[in-house]
Amino acid sequence: MRRAAILLLALAAAGPALADPATPPAALANTQLRDPVQEAAARELMVTLRCVVCQGQSIADSDASMAGDMRALVRSRIAAGESPDAIRRWLVDRYGDYVTYDPPFGAATWPLWLAPVVLLAVGALIARSSFRRGGR
């Protein structure tokens, strides 16, 4: 029984180490394009795209294999002459608005866009009423 528990713990501890695929990264995942203008365009796009695995990092900063695949895709499409906007649209169509740090204004995202304006207005009203009471 004790051996089984130790084996289970060893397998559970090895899980994260086995999570990354054994395949090598995509060709352009960690290699810059030869043309500095194209690499700059790819890099500018990559910092605006969210890693779908890490969620808190852009694909430019993430070490996840999925982010590497997305970097390779961006670089290969930029090298093929595709525009960054077209690549962004393709990724949004494939992964949804979540993949971009700049979600479009729509039915699902209007609270994200309007909340700061509403909070500023509420703050201004509170400040105004505070100043009126303090002056009396």
Side-chain angles (χ1 to χ4, degrees), residues 50-124:
R50 183 189 321 257
C51 175
V52 294
V53 176
C54 302
Q55 300 176 2
Q57 292 181 307
S58 70
I59 65 170
D61 299 328
S62 175
D63 290 331
S65 60
M66 180 67 177
D69 292 343
M70 291 172 79
R71 285 192 302 272
L73 179 129
V74 167
R75 284 186 174 120
S76 65
R77 286 181 172 223
I78 290 283
E82 198 169 338
S83 75
D85 288 335
I87 298 167
R88 176 189 299 280
R89 279 192 305 275
W90 186 85
L91 287 167
V92 167
D93 288 344
R94 183 170 181 132
Y95 297 108
D97 291 331
Y98 178 78
V99 78
T100 181
Y101 282 116
D102 188 20
F105 188 82
T109 60
W110 70 264
L112 294 172
W113 290 101
L114 296 181
V117 174
V118 170
L119 290 173
L120 280 173
V122 168

Side-chain angles (χ1 to χ4, degrees), residues 4-49:
I6 291 173
L7 179 63
L8 245 138
L9 284 173
L11 287 174
L18 300 174
D20 263 350
T23 58
L28 292 172
N30 301 314
T31 306
Q32 294 184 352
L33 295 171
R34 289 184 182 183
D35 181 357
V37 173
Q38 287 182 333
E39 179 60 30
R43 187 87 170 132
E44 188 175 322
L45 177 59
M46 288 187 288
V47 297
T48 66
L49 297 171

